Structure formats: structure tokens, C-alpha cells
Amino acid sequence: MSFSVCEGELVLLCGRSGSGKSTLLKLIKREIAPFGERGGEIRLFGRSEEDLSERDSVSKIGFVAQSVEAQLVTETVWRELAFGAESLGLPSGEIRRRIAETAMYFGLERLFRRKTATLSGGEKQLLNLASVMVCEPSVLLLDEPTAQLDPIAAKKLISCVLRLNRELGITVLVCEHRVDELFSYADRILCLDKGRIVTDLPPKTAASDASVFFGALPTAAQIFRRLGGSGEAPITTAQCRSFLADKKVTPAFHPDPECTSTPAAAIKNVFFRYGKSDRDILSDLSFSADTGSVTSILGGNGAGKSTLLKIIAGVEKPYSGKLLLGGKNAVKKHALKTVLLPQSPRELFMTSSVYEDLLESACAAGYGKEAGEAAVNKTAGELGITALLHRHPYDLSGGEQQKAALAKLLLLNPDILLLDEPTKGMDYDSKRETIRLIAALKAKGKTVIIATHDTQTAALCSDRCALLFDGSVVCSDAPGEFFTGLAHYTTPEAHIARGIIPGAVTSDDIVNAVRQQ
Amino acid sequence: MSNESAFSRLHPLTLSLWFFFVLTVTVMTVNPILAALSLLFSALYKALTTGISIKGISVSLAFMLLIALLNPLFSHHGVTVLFFLNDLPVTLESLLFGGMMSLVVMSSVLWCGALALCMTSDKVIWLFGKPFPKLAVLISLTLRLLPAIKTSYGRMKDARTAAGLYDDSSPFARISSSLRIFSALVTMILEDSIDTADSMKARGLMLRGRTSCSIFRFRPADFAVLALVLLSAAAAAYSSVSKAVLFTFYPAVSYGSMGAVTALTYGSFALTAVVPSFMEVTLWKQLHSTTYRSNTPQARNSRSTV
């Protein structure tokens, strides 16, 4: 492949997982270039890569990877900031000036003397970016920097990247699947497929170009493509609204959810805090999930979504209030089996192969040796991970890890599945796959409770959504009503359809509303 | 840095020399006056920073009494025999020496507590980082990893508990469950360390001529404390060579006459040892309610009663 990037450009790299985006970015940064055979030439700043001095390669090219935690090296924020400048051998006074200035630019002053372990995920990634900027690079390479962040932290990070590009003229190459914000601001969209560049166009043209795959488009352009629009595709909410404005539409119709009998899990007036002198995480919270339904719990960072799941799973105990599972008090007797899929599924793996890990579950569920092996193979087949059974769990991609973890949990024959941020950091294809899996679980009669930030997924897969704020449920409704009722904390599709197509909250709703005319 | 004591705001160099001097004198001395001064000021500093409780005082006193009483049981030197125990003499000198030892041990314990409070990891890294910048990176890396490992362990345990795979029905089961998590944790750490290594390489760990930056400044207070430490150290060294503060217990208690040098040694040591408490009292004097103060339990109680 061949391509070049001009100074000060913002280039968005997109492509399905395995298309070679990360490899391409890492090749540009000599220190971390993957081993292997390489042909061709990489030229940086008008010179061949080999002519670039070691110091220049370190300082002129900055790299931020997706792993938020593992990129941190030191134990305090200011030392992390100083790391790169110390490597360059700068005198103490110069380092102090640089870290002070960078901390101010990124709004890290309040965190300056804090321990890195005490920061939130968003703060950690912002620190990772800031510590790269201390070396004053002129090119910034970002490898899915928001993959492990919640949407609010992701927006903050992306706006910082945009500022660096716009205000300081820093050349940015970013690969990212959260494209709604970045797409319209990018100077060029580079689309990779199987190790080749298939598209190299400015965003407006790229959005209507067939070579750009569907998942890489912003929501606005996806709707445009699904409706078979012609001409220049909309890439922002406003553009999509004017595209829809002159269409004749019917209001979106949401069938009433079928009434189910008893709630599988119910929580009554629960209060919870982690320590005696901490604040209440949950206060007077009441919540229930019907048997065989999918319920999404939404809410900001620290609203208590994960804590609520942990309480239902029996990992944490509330200091006041009741937890009922299948109508029975869960403290005395676990009437229904609950399992919890953690935010990072790899926390569940204990052995060096997926197969052994699944077998552990089968044994715990009381299967004998042969019955256990049969059960493992059957579950793996259902989830489509038979080919992965003999791989090391850590060698799987994020989506594959999640499936393997889910298989491990399903072998325990759970009645209630609790999923913590199941679509975090996933690209379009993996998200679709997760939504399909959730639907399959529902079809099997399992009760699913999801804690998520992802409004799009919640709108697509749930029967009921609940908004958690200040420790209790503020509103709870079927997704159609839920997301039309909320003006800001809602799906991008609902933003687009507001006032044009009443009640539309998913792109299916919009497409159907237009097509029916 | 809400719970920072005034003394710990000094420069790491000042702090380390101060602690080196005071701890050396405290541990090496056989002079009860120096040991008593050391205990007095270390206890005062503890009272001013972390606070002391009746329970803490009684436990410490019992500990000191134990040391004082144990010595005469094992050491039978000395000329003043108090009584015989199992045909062995218990002497007054030995009892007094035990008392002196208890002062030394107690004050050393208290000063070590103060050291832990004041010499934060940042300062330790400064000390080693100046001459060996890569060692500074290593220390800092380890200090970051320890809490991270603890968090990951907790998460993995929670994940298994939620799935009902964490067996804690018996002590043996609990140990085997923990070991299982621990072995998986090691794999996870190794996996993550690849990313950490990349991040370090990308930011130039391999470059020659690394420096170590610090955010500490040498202020007038540092010069004053450092001067005091040097003066006291000189006085202590001179008097230990000239035997001006010589104090012997065996065979009979004897001590030199009180001269100018002796007075200077005691005085300068007392002045040096009182510095932390003095700074603690004076620095916050103008601030009626500081973050540091308001975090102590006493302050919280008094606020709620007002």
C-alpha cells in the first residue's frame, strides 16, 4: 500500500477488525514496529525513516494505544507526564515547564499530584495522551484511543485530539470505530480492507462512496445509505435532519411489550455504600426485571450501574433493603441462578485454553466428565466459538473473548444473566453480534439485565430501559417511550428524528417510517 | 495531598539527612538524657500528626516496661545487687540500662513511623533517581503495579464469586481458590506488561542520557534545618569522641561532668528533634481550619459538636 499524509492533516483510518489498522500505525513508530518482513519504504518528514535520529523518532512521533491501564508507567500523575521528557534528557527546569504547561492544556491541574491508580478510565487515557504531548510531537498516532472508555469520556478525549489538530496544527492519524464525532472533522477518510487501502477520500465524498463499509459510517450516513439516498450523504445530525425533513413519514409504531408474570429479579428500597464513611452509591433504589425479558440500566459514570449488578449477583450486600429472585428473598436462599459478565471478560479466564475454562464451568455445574465435554462442545457450537476452543483466552479479540466468557457462564445454567457494558469498545460488527446473542438468550427464556452507556444498543435489544441517577431509578419505560422522553441522554437516531418522525429511536424506526409512505 | 504534615514539605535531601542524624543518635546512644529527649519529641510529633489514644499510650508503656524488666533477667553485671533470683543477682545498674533501652526502642519505633509519614514514595524516588534515573523508573513502575495488582485480584475474585466459582467453604478451599486466581493474575500482568513496555519504548526509555525530574524545591527552611542538623551532628560527633556525654552503666553508673560541650550537644539535639513538631504547630497557626486538621477524628468531632 502507499499513502501520504500532509502536515496538519487529520486522517481517520477505518476498517474491520483484522484489516491491519494497528499494524499500519505501529509501523510508523519505529520503537514499537511489529517484527516481520517488510518491503517498501516509510518516509517521515521528507526523509527516509532510517535517517531519522533516535531522539527525533521518540519525540516527533507520539503514539497512544487503546489499553488505558497498561500504558501507564509510573505511580503519580506528574511523574507520568515527566517520563518522556526525562527520556530526552532535558534539564529539570525545562521538564517542569513542559509538564506544567501540558497539565494546564489538558485540564489535569487538579490531578497533578494524584496517584495514577486513583484516576478514572477517562482521566487515565487523557493522561496517556498528555504524557505523549510533553515530548512536543508533530505527528500523533492514535490506535483506537477510546475503545475502553465510556461515551462521555470518549467525547472528551476526541475533543482534545481535535483541539490539538486545530490549534497546534499537529498531524493526527487515528483509527477509531466511534466515528460519529470524528468523521465530519477529519480531512480524509482512509478505509482499509485485508491490508489494502480501498478508500482515500474527504469525508463528504467518502460517506457516499460504496467502498467505505457500513460500520465505518456515522449514524447520519448509515440512515442515508439504508434509505438509498443519492448525491452527497449527510454526515452530521443537522445534515441528516434536513435530508429527512422533506420526506413524507408515518409515526414510528412500537408494539406494547407483552405482559409477563412474575419479575425474575426485584430490588426493593435498597441502600448501598462501600464503606461506613463513603457516600451512598445506591439510595432507596427499587427496580425489577421481568422473567424472560431484556432490561437495560443506563446512567452516567458512577451512577451505580455496576454496583446494582453486583448486588443482584450477590457479590455485594446492601445495608438496607431487599433483593428478591424469583419472588423469594435472595439473602436466605438463592432461588434462581445468577451470573455476571464483567466489563472485561478476561477476568473470568483462569486457564491457558478456552476449552479448559469451559470445562471448569461444566464441572461446577455438576456434569460428569463425558457429559461435561459434550456440554462444552454444544455450547461452543451454539455461540460459534468451536474454532477458538484450543486457543489461549488472552489471544482472542475483544468480541471473541466476550463470547467465550458468555459460553463459560451459560454452562452454569443461569436463569438470570447480568451483563456489564457488553458493547464497550466494540466495533460495529461485534456490536451487532452481541445484540444478536442477547436476543438468542431471550429466546431461550433467560432473563437478561444489562448495564450500559450505549444508548443505541439499549434501544435495539431491550424490552425495558431504566435510567439510574443519584443512586435511584429516575425513569423506566419501554425503549420507544424511554428514548423519546429523554431530550439529551438518548440515541443519535432519536436526535436526528426528533420533531420529524414522532417516536423514532432506532435507525430501523426511521427507515420503516420513510419506507411505509 | 490533604494529609501532609508540615515537616514532610521539606526537601527530600533535608528530610533524609534529618532522619539519618536523629535515628543514628537515637539508636547509638547510651545516654539516657538523649534517649529521653528523643522519646519526648517523637511522641510529641506523633500526637500532633496522627494523634495518640489512651490505648496506644498504655500499650507502649507496657511494652517499655517489659523491655526494662527483661534486661536484668538476662544481664547480671553491675555492683548494686537488689536481690537474688534463682541464685543469680538482679542489679540496679542492669534495671537502669533496661529502662534506657526501652527509651531507645520506643523512640526508634516512633521516629520510624514519622519517617514513613514524611518520606513519601516521591521523595524516595528522588533520592535514588538523581544518581540512577533508570532505578527511579523501576521503583515508580513497581509502586504503580502493586495497587493495580490488588485491584485486578479483587475484580477477578468478584467475577468468580458472581459466577459461583469461588469456593470459600473451608480454609483449604479458600487457599486453593486464591491460588487459582493468583496464577491467572500473573498471566494477565505479563500480558499487560507488553503494552507497558511499548509505552515506555515509545516514550524513549532506550535513549541515552536520561534525567530524573523532581518537583521539589530547596527553600530557606531547608537551609535552616540542614544547618541545624549539621551543627548538632558536629556537636554530637565531637562529644562522642571527647567522651563529653559519656554515660556508663556498668559496673556502676557514672557520667562526665556537665560542660559547655555537653550542654551544646543536648541543646542542639533537642532543637533538631523538636523541628517537626515546631513546624507542625507554627505552619498551620494562621489557618484555623486546614484540610489536614479537619481530617483528624478529633477535628471532625469538635466540628459536629459546635
PDB file of all heavy atoms in Angstrom, chain A residues 26 34 68 77 95 174 223 252 255 270 275 309 313 343 367 406 471:
ATOM      1  N   LYS A  26       1.535   1.199  13.916  1.00  0.00           N
ATOM      2  CA  LYS A  26       2.742   0.850  14.672  1.00  0.00           C
ATOM      3  C   LYS A  26       3.985   0.884  13.798  1.00  0.00           C
ATOM      4  O   LYS A  26       5.078   1.173  14.296  1.00  0.00           O
ATOM      5  CB  LYS A  26       2.587  -0.527  15.314  1.00  0.00           C
ATOM      6  CG  LYS A  26       1.691  -0.485  16.544  1.00  0.00           C
ATOM      7  CD  LYS A  26       1.716  -1.790  17.301  1.00  0.00           C
ATOM      8  CE  LYS A  26       0.925  -1.658  18.591  1.00  0.00           C
ATOM      9  NZ  LYS A  26       0.739  -2.948  19.247  1.00  0.00           N
ATOM     10  N   PRO A  34       5.993  -3.751  14.676  1.00  0.00           N
ATOM     11  CA  PRO A  34       5.925  -5.194  14.827  1.00  0.00           C
ATOM     12  C   PRO A  34       7.032  -5.884  14.026  1.00  0.00           C
ATOM     13  O   PRO A  34       7.468  -5.376  12.997  1.00  0.00           O
ATOM     14  CB  PRO A  34       4.547  -5.563  14.279  1.00  0.00           C
ATOM     15  CG  PRO A  34       4.063  -4.385  13.546  1.00  0.00           C
ATOM     16  CD  PRO A  34       4.814  -3.199  14.015  1.00  0.00           C
ATOM     17  N   VAL A  68      -5.923   1.426  28.330  1.00  0.00           N
ATOM     18  CA  VAL A  68      -5.854   2.602  29.183  1.00  0.00           C
ATOM     19  C   VAL A  68      -4.870   2.382  30.324  1.00  0.00           C
ATOM     20  O   VAL A  68      -4.014   3.206  30.606  1.00  0.00           O
ATOM     21  CB  VAL A  68      -7.260   2.891  29.737  1.00  0.00           C
ATOM     22  CG1 VAL A  68      -7.206   3.900  30.846  1.00  0.00           C
ATOM     23  CG2 VAL A  68      -8.165   3.358  28.626  1.00  0.00           C
ATOM     24  N   VAL A  77       0.778  11.141  38.774  1.00  0.00           N
ATOM     25  CA  VAL A  77       0.431  11.808  37.518  1.00  0.00           C
ATOM     26  C   VAL A  77       1.595  12.643  36.990  1.00  0.00           C
ATOM     27  O   VAL A  77       1.967  12.558  35.821  1.00  0.00           O
ATOM     28  CB  VAL A  77      -0.839  12.675  37.708  1.00  0.00           C
ATOM     29  CG1 VAL A  77      -1.071  13.559  36.504  1.00  0.00           C
ATOM     30  CG2 VAL A  77      -2.040  11.785  37.956  1.00  0.00           C
ATOM     31  N   ILE A  95      11.785  20.432  32.104  1.00  0.00           N
ATOM     32  CA  ILE A  95      10.759  19.410  32.268  1.00  0.00           C
ATOM     33  C   ILE A  95       9.587  19.978  33.080  1.00  0.00           C
ATOM     34  O   ILE A  95       8.429  19.809  32.727  1.00  0.00           O
ATOM     35  CB  ILE A  95      11.323  18.149  32.961  1.00  0.00           C
ATOM     36  CG1 ILE A  95      12.400  17.511  32.096  1.00  0.00           C
ATOM     37  CG2 ILE A  95      10.214  17.148  33.227  1.00  0.00           C
ATOM     38  CD1 ILE A  95      13.044  16.291  32.694  1.00  0.00           C
ATOM     39  N   VAL A 174      -5.661   8.653  13.163  1.00  0.00           N
ATOM     40  CA  VAL A 174      -6.394   7.973  14.223  1.00  0.00           C
ATOM     41  C   VAL A 174      -7.221   6.840  13.630  1.00  0.00           C
ATOM     42  O   VAL A 174      -7.874   7.007  12.605  1.00  0.00           O
ATOM     43  CB  VAL A 174      -7.271   8.979  15.015  1.00  0.00           C
ATOM     44  CG1 VAL A 174      -8.115   9.832  14.103  1.00  0.00           C
ATOM     45  CG2 VAL A 174      -8.168   8.286  16.034  1.00  0.00           C
ATOM     46  N   ILE A 223     -28.093   5.965   7.884  1.00  0.00           N
ATOM     47  CA  ILE A 223     -29.523   6.097   7.584  1.00  0.00           C
ATOM     48  C   ILE A 223     -29.716   6.458   6.112  1.00  0.00           C
ATOM     49  O   ILE A 223     -30.544   5.881   5.406  1.00  0.00           O
ATOM     50  CB  ILE A 223     -30.156   7.164   8.507  1.00  0.00           C
ATOM     51  CG1 ILE A 223     -30.179   6.642   9.940  1.00  0.00           C
ATOM     52  CG2 ILE A 223     -31.564   7.536   8.050  1.00  0.00           C
ATOM     53  CD1 ILE A 223     -30.584   7.653  10.974  1.00  0.00           C
ATOM     54  N   ALA A 252     -43.441   6.438  14.115  1.00  0.00           N
ATOM     55  CA  ALA A 252     -42.932   5.113  14.467  1.00  0.00           C
ATOM     56  C   ALA A 252     -43.921   4.416  15.381  1.00  0.00           C
ATOM     57  O   ALA A 252     -44.559   5.051  16.215  1.00  0.00           O
ATOM     58  CB  ALA A 252     -41.585   5.246  15.153  1.00  0.00           C
ATOM     59  N   PRO A 255     -44.951  -1.759  19.308  1.00  0.00           N
ATOM     60  CA  PRO A 255     -45.968  -2.626  19.902  1.00  0.00           C
ATOM     61  C   PRO A 255     -45.803  -2.658  21.420  1.00  0.00           C
ATOM     62  O   PRO A 255     -44.688  -2.550  21.928  1.00  0.00           O
ATOM     63  CB  PRO A 255     -45.671  -3.998  19.285  1.00  0.00           C
ATOM     64  CG  PRO A 255     -44.246  -3.935  18.857  1.00  0.00           C
ATOM     65  CD  PRO A 255     -43.965  -2.513  18.515  1.00  0.00           C
ATOM     66  N   VAL A 270     -33.426  -0.418  48.191  1.00  0.00           N
ATOM     67  CA  VAL A 270     -32.072  -0.797  48.549  1.00  0.00           C
ATOM     68  C   VAL A 270     -31.179   0.424  48.767  1.00  0.00           C
ATOM     69  O   VAL A 270     -31.244   1.402  48.026  1.00  0.00           O
ATOM     70  CB  VAL A 270     -31.471  -1.717  47.457  1.00  0.00           C
ATOM     71  CG1 VAL A 270     -29.965  -1.613  47.411  1.00  0.00           C
ATOM     72  CG2 VAL A 270     -31.886  -3.151  47.710  1.00  0.00           C
ATOM     73  N   GLY A 275     -18.147   1.804  52.071  1.00  0.00           N
ATOM     74  CA  GLY A 275     -17.568   1.881  53.410  1.00  0.00           C
ATOM     75  C   GLY A 275     -18.441   2.762  54.273  1.00  0.00           C
ATOM     76  O   GLY A 275     -19.268   3.520  53.764  1.00  0.00           O
ATOM     77  N   LEU A 309     -25.684  -4.325  39.527  1.00  0.00           N
ATOM     78  CA  LEU A 309     -25.500  -5.686  39.014  1.00  0.00           C
ATOM     79  C   LEU A 309     -24.827  -6.575  40.054  1.00  0.00           C
ATOM     80  O   LEU A 309     -25.203  -7.726  40.251  1.00  0.00           O
ATOM     81  CB  LEU A 309     -24.656  -5.683  37.730  1.00  0.00           C
ATOM     82  CG  LEU A 309     -25.266  -5.100  36.465  1.00  0.00           C
ATOM     83  CD1 LEU A 309     -24.417  -5.465  35.263  1.00  0.00           C
ATOM     84  CD2 LEU A 309     -26.690  -5.568  36.249  1.00  0.00           C
ATOM     85  N   ALA A 313     -26.137 -10.002  41.688  1.00  0.00           N
ATOM     86  CA  ALA A 313     -25.314 -11.209  41.573  1.00  0.00           C
ATOM     87  C   ALA A 313     -24.906 -11.761  42.935  1.00  0.00           C
ATOM     88  O   ALA A 313     -24.345 -12.843  43.019  1.00  0.00           O
ATOM     89  CB  ALA A 313     -24.070 -10.912  40.748  1.00  0.00           C
ATOM     90  N   GLN A 343     -17.083  -6.294  32.938  1.00  0.00           N
ATOM     91  CA  GLN A 343     -16.751  -5.365  31.847  1.00  0.00           C
ATOM     92  C   GLN A 343     -15.604  -5.878  30.990  1.00  0.00           C
ATOM     93  O   GLN A 343     -15.629  -5.765  29.779  1.00  0.00           O
ATOM     94  CB  GLN A 343     -16.353  -4.015  32.432  1.00  0.00           C
ATOM     95  CG  GLN A 343     -17.511  -3.085  32.549  1.00  0.00           C
ATOM     96  CD  GLN A 343     -17.067  -1.698  32.922  1.00  0.00           C
ATOM     97  OE1 GLN A 343     -16.048  -1.199  32.456  1.00  0.00           O
ATOM     98  NE2 GLN A 343     -17.838  -1.046  33.764  1.00  0.00           N
ATOM     99  N   TYR A 367     -21.833 -31.525  35.766  1.00  0.00           N
ATOM    100  CA  TYR A 367     -21.741 -32.517  34.693  1.00  0.00           C
ATOM    101  C   TYR A 367     -20.614 -33.494  35.013  1.00  0.00           C
ATOM    102  O   TYR A 367     -19.602 -33.114  35.597  1.00  0.00           O
ATOM    103  CB  TYR A 367     -21.415 -31.848  33.348  1.00  0.00           C
ATOM    104  CG  TYR A 367     -22.544 -31.064  32.745  1.00  0.00           C
ATOM    105  CD1 TYR A 367     -22.522 -29.684  32.767  1.00  0.00           C
ATOM    106  CD2 TYR A 367     -23.613 -31.713  32.125  1.00  0.00           C
ATOM    107  CE1 TYR A 367     -23.547 -28.936  32.200  1.00  0.00           C
ATOM    108  CE2 TYR A 367     -24.637 -30.970  31.558  1.00  0.00           C
ATOM    109  CZ  TYR A 367     -24.600 -29.590  31.608  1.00  0.00           C
ATOM    110  OH  TYR A 367     -25.607 -28.872  31.038  1.00  0.00           O
ATOM    111  N   LEU A 406     -19.073 -15.719  27.816  1.00  0.00           N
ATOM    112  CA  LEU A 406     -20.514 -15.986  27.866  1.00  0.00           C
ATOM    113  C   LEU A 406     -20.760 -17.492  27.849  1.00  0.00           C
ATOM    114  O   LEU A 406     -21.600 -18.015  28.594  1.00  0.00           O
ATOM    115  CB  LEU A 406     -21.186 -15.321  26.667  1.00  0.00           C
ATOM    116  CG  LEU A 406     -22.668 -14.986  26.807  1.00  0.00           C
ATOM    117  CD1 LEU A 406     -22.909 -14.130  28.044  1.00  0.00           C
ATOM    118  CD2 LEU A 406     -23.166 -14.263  25.574  1.00  0.00           C
ATOM    119  N   GLY A 471     -28.268   7.469  42.524  1.00  0.00           N
ATOM    120  CA  GLY A 471     -28.498   6.302  43.370  1.00  0.00           C
ATOM    121  C   GLY A 471     -29.856   5.659  43.260  1.00  0.00           C
ATOM    122  O   GLY A 471     -30.123   4.664  43.911  1.00  0.00           O
TER     123      GLY A 471
END
